[in-house]
Amino acid sequence: MKKFVLHSESNITNIGTYKDHFGDYLVVQSLEQTFIRDLQSFSVLSRDAFQRSLYSILTDKNIKEDFLIVNAASFDYLVFKDKFLIKNNPHLILDGSSFLAKILNVKRIDIVLKNYYLEEKDIIIKAVAEAEDARFIYDVKVNIYTEDTYYQECSQRITPSYLESKKYIFDLDTITQLTYLAHIGEYSFKNYGTGKNKGTYIFSVTGDIINPNLYEFEIDTPLKNLSKSAGGLNKEYTAKCVFTNGFLNPPIDFETFQKMTLDYECFDSLKMKIGNGGICFIREDRCMVRVVLKIVQFGKSISCGRCMPCHYGFDLCEYYINKMLLANSIYSDYASLKEAVDMIKLGASCSYIRNLANCISSTIEMFRDEFLYLIENKVTLYSFIKD
């Protein structure tokens, strides 16, 4: 990770080194009576599909669930921080997870990983064994699943609709931030961030940027610092647009991005969410028709297929875009493509898919000229970048 603030690139390899850094697991310590109350002021811990505050989830007496899910099987496009967090400090994740289970009074934790997280699965299993041997985890059952084994055992696929149906579901960002807050205390935690909100955010920076990587910044940092830390764009090109929140926000121009700050109010003013922290830079000569096709194909791949607008809609979008790229389209296909996206945006049952469709719709409208140029001239305005 580059520019880390709370997190460190020095791996915690075993429970001994974890205790040297943090002391005993939080679950075996007495819970400060003021901790939950103090948590109310740290809105940085709002990272689920609806950006609900962790405070509201932990204090909602109407939620009745008997287990919590640790989501390390993120399906967010081009967001790759889970692997780092598991490799960097699996005990931090287990400590925070067991601490949440204690607060919520549940006796089961399901940690779900991507199918290809083979090394990470071994790391987290070893950490669980060490924590159990040290009696840090003794009255709660921790299950480690891949996406496939979770389906085999629980008959549930990790899809947007399933994740949104669960209340006690936490991503690794939320859990690690909670654990740091609990260990270092609110007064030390308040040193991170210069604005009203405190803490840090990890960004997955991808696309047409010189140094794609993970970057961590304090809340209220100007986003122009992020592009500088990532090396900026190639001097031969400018940025056509920037996607944020892993393609769940509408694209914005590079000038707007450079003026933004890392805080909730700034994103809210643009009707966007910080969300998962995925940032993708698109340079000026990249074909936006093909970019939209990639996002459509991603949406199709994560769809649970249960609601018609989503299941049928992405197929329809892919059909019209491919028709354009194969030089077989007519002008009405552009309107038909927009209607198909609007059907998803208005009719999909889960918030994640609706936000993804809104991003697609905004991109199609923002780069309308490229779509119409392709329809009229039977060739894309910009070639497909090969490097």
Side-chain angles (χ1 to χ4, degrees):
M1 176 180 289
K2 306 296 183 183
K3 191 97 178 170
F4 61 81
V5 180
L6 282 176
H7 295 276
S8 171
E9 288 182 302
S10 301
N11 287 355
I12 301 294
T13 56
N14 56 56
I15 201 164
T17 53
Y18 183 78
K19 289 181 67 175
D20 291 340
H21 279 78
F22 295 98
D24 290 342
Y25 266 35
L26 294 166
V27 72
V28 298
Q29 302 175 27
S30 58
L31 177 64
E32 293 289 339
Q33 295 296 316
T34 59
F35 177 78
I36 300 297
R37 186 190 67 204
D38 293 337
L39 188 62
Q40 186 175 11
S41 63
F42 296 105
S43 56
V44 67
L45 302 172
S46 313
R47 305 181 190 218
D48 69 350
F50 303 100
Q51 282 202 177
R52 294 170 291 200
S53 70
L54 189 58
Y55 170 82
S56 66
I57 295 173
L58 299 184
T59 57
D60 190 339
K61 302 301 183 183
N62 294 318
I63 301 176
K64 305 294 183 184
E65 295 191 352
D66 56 1
F67 69 100
L68 64 86
I69 299 176
V70 178
N71 178 25
S74 174
F75 42 73
D76 294 325
Y77 199 26
L78 301 181
V79 179
F80 47 93
K81 65 184 75 171
D82 285 354
K83 290 173 72 72
F84 168 81
L85 292 171
I86 295 172
K87 286 184 176 181
N88 174 258
N89 200 337
H91 286 283
L92 196 71
I93 297 167
L94 287 180
D95 192 357
S97 301
S98 57
F99 186 46
L100 282 169
K102 177 182 178 181
I103 295 172
L104 297 169
N105 194 30
V106 298
K107 301 299 182 182
R108 172 183 149 199
I109 300 171
D110 289 350
I111 301 177
V112 188
L113 310 171
K114 282 288 189 185
N115 289 327
Y116 55 86
Y117 281 14
L118 302 180
E119 181 182 358
E120 291 75 20
K121 182 180 178 182
D122 290 340
I123 289 172
I124 202 76
I125 288 175
K126 176 177 178 289
V128 170
E130 290 181 322
E132 289 176 343
D133 290 344
R135 300 289 292 168
F136 285 162
I137 298 178
Y138 55 90
D139 64 345
V140 61
K141 181 174 177 56
V142 180
N143 302 308
I144 311 295
Y145 297 104
T146 63
E147 296 165 288
D148 285 346
T149 57
Y150 192 74
Y151 176 71
Q152 292 166 8
E153 186 155 330
C154 304
S155 299
Q156 291 287 351
R157 295 202 181 277
I158 302 300
T159 62
S161 59
Y162 175 65
L163 297 182
E164 290 180 18
S165 72
K166 308 302 293 182
K167 305 301 181 184
Y168 294 161
I169 180 161
F170 307 99
D171 61 275
L172 300 190
D173 266 358
T174 298
I175 289 172
T176 53
Q177 288 273 298
L178 169 75
T179 314
Y180 272 111
L181 171 60
H183 273 298
I184 69 178
E186 63 161 320
Y187 294 108
S188 296
F189 195 81
K190 284 180 178 178
N191 291 326
Y192 300 100
T194 58
K196 182 178 70 173
N197 296 312
K198 304 299 180 182
T200 68
Y201 232 92
I202 298 176
F203 286 97
S204 298
V205 180
T206 61
D208 299 314
I209 197 81
I210 291 177
N211 297 313
N213 209 322
L214 292 175
Y215 297 85
E216 184 184 12
F217 289 95
E218 296 179 54
I219 297 296
D220 211 42
T221 298
L223 289 186
K224 63 182 180 181
N225 292 3
L226 187 150
S227 54
K228 287 180 181 178
S229 296
L233 284 82
N234 189 306
K235 292 182 179 179
E236 298 178 8
Y237 302 95
T238 58
K240 180 180 288 187
C241 67
V242 183
F243 289 95
T244 58
N245 194 8
F247 296 96
L248 295 182
N249 287 330
I252 54 175
D253 60 80
F254 187 62
E255 290 71 25
T256 300
F257 178 83
Q258 292 282 80
K259 295 175 183 177
M260 294 173 63
T261 54
L262 176 54
D263 65 76
Y264 292 97
E265 288 78 10
C266 179
F267 274 74
D268 287 343
S269 69
L270 296 170
K271 298 181 179 180
M272 302 194 306
K273 295 182 181 297
I274 301 176
N276 56 42
I279 306 287
C280 184
F281 293 89
I282 304 294
R283 77 189 202 189
E284 61 182 341
D285 61 343
R286 188 171 290 279
C287 173
M288 293 306 298
V289 179
R290 289 187 172 92
V291 170
V292 171
L293 178 61
K294 289 291 185 182
I295 303 174
V296 166
Q297 290 172 337
F298 165 69
K300 181 179 176 180
S301 72
I302 64 170
S303 170
C304 68
R306 291 181 180 176
C307 68
M308 186 279 291
C310 176
H311 179 65
Y312 176 59
F314 283 121
D315 280 340
L316 202 55
C317 292
E318 189 176 30
Y319 164 76
Y320 284 119
I321 296 175
N322 280 327
K323 190 178 178 184
M324 294 175 189
L325 291 171
L326 292 171
N328 292 323
S329 60
I330 56 178
Y331 282 109
S332 62
D333 289 333
Y334 176 77
S336 297
L337 172 62
K338 290 187 65 177
E339 289 173 1
V341 179
D342 287 341
M343 178 179 67
I344 303 171
K345 187 167 60 173
L346 295 173
S349 60
C350 55
S351 175
Y352 187 97
I353 295 295
R354 292 196 299 271
N355 289 336
L356 188 68
N358 184 55
C359 172
I360 295 170
S361 177
S362 299
T363 307
I364 292 171
E365 185 60 36
M366 185 174 181
F367 298 99
R368 176 177 180 270
D369 290 347
E370 289 195 35
F371 283 85
L372 296 183
Y373 182 93
L374 171 58
I375 293 171
E376 181 178 351
N377 296 282
K378 311 304 180 186
V379 64
T380 55
L381 181 59
Y382 298 98
S383 62
F384 185 73
I385 297 175
K386 296 184 179 356
D387 61 5

